[in-house]
């Protein structure tokens, strides 16, 4: 059974920064592509960013390009999401997802393993 655990959410003022972390257990971390999604109240879960197994390839949603950065440390078994210049529109529950496919997808159905989510609230 693969477990995905996020951490690092919280409350921040607009313009501030947060860093989310996510770790998996079960299989070797480097065998997973990783993705971050978010879901705001009353909205569908949406793709934020994905990263391939080695960390070389990344893909960002247009809404976060230039503000968010994903990275992974396969030695530590952790993926990070650095979020800068946060706005109230970034308020959501952020979910980390993992899958054994070779390339990170942008659709929720492309990930088999999900964390419980971590709340990010940006105040104006």
């Amino acid at each position: 059974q693969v477990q995905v655990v996020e951490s690092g959410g919280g409350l921040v003022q607009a313009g501030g920064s947060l860093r989310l972390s996510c770790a998996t257990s079960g299989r070797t971390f480097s065998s997973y592509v990783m993705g971050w999604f978010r879901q705001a109240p009353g909205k569908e879960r949406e793709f934020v960013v994905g990263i391939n197994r080695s960390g070389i390839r990344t893909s960002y949603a247009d809404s976060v390009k230039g503000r968010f950065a994903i990275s992974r440390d396969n030695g530590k078994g952790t993926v990070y999401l650095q979020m800068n210049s946060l706005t109230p529109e970034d308020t959501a529950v952020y979910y980390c997802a993992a899958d054994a496919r070779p390339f990170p997808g942008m659709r929720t159905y492309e990930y088999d393993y999900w964390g419980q989510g971590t709340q990010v609230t940006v105040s104006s």
Side-chain angles (χ1 to χ4, degrees):
Q1 183 72 18
V2 177
Q3 288 189 320
V4 179
V5 180
E6 308 99 335
S7 61
L11 174 64
V12 64
Q13 288 188 332
S17 299
L18 277 177
R19 189 176 81 156
L20 306 182
S21 301
C22 172
T24 67
S25 64
R27 238 171 105 175
T28 304
F29 179 76
S30 59
S31 66
Y32 298 122
V33 297
M34 303 297 296
W36 286 97
F37 290 73
R38 67 186 182 185
Q39 188 166 16
K43 295 187 176 181
E44 293 187 353
R45 192 170 299 187
E46 65 175 4
F47 173 78
V48 176
V49 60
I51 190 167
N52 72 339
R53 295 171 181 172
S54 67
I56 293 176
R57 288 189 179 182
T58 59
S59 178
Y60 291 87
D62 288 343
S63 58
V64 305
K65 280 181 182 176
R67 300 188 300 121
F68 289 14
I70 190 172
S71 61
R72 67 187 295 162
D73 185 334
N74 286 342
K76 294 183 178 180
T78 304
V79 63
Y80 304 98
L81 180 62
Q82 179 66 43
M83 305 185 294
N84 301 323
S85 302
L86 286 161
T87 74
E89 289 68 38
D90 295 314
T91 295
V93 177
Y94 283 70
Y95 296 92
C96 180
D99 199 84
R101 63 179 56 241
F103 302 109
M106 300 175 66
R107 305 288 187 265
T108 56
Y109 63 78
E110 294 178 292
Y111 292 84
D112 282 340
Y113 309 109
W114 291 84
Q116 292 299 307
T118 185
Q119 177 71 47
V120 171
T121 303
V122 185
S123 64
S124 57

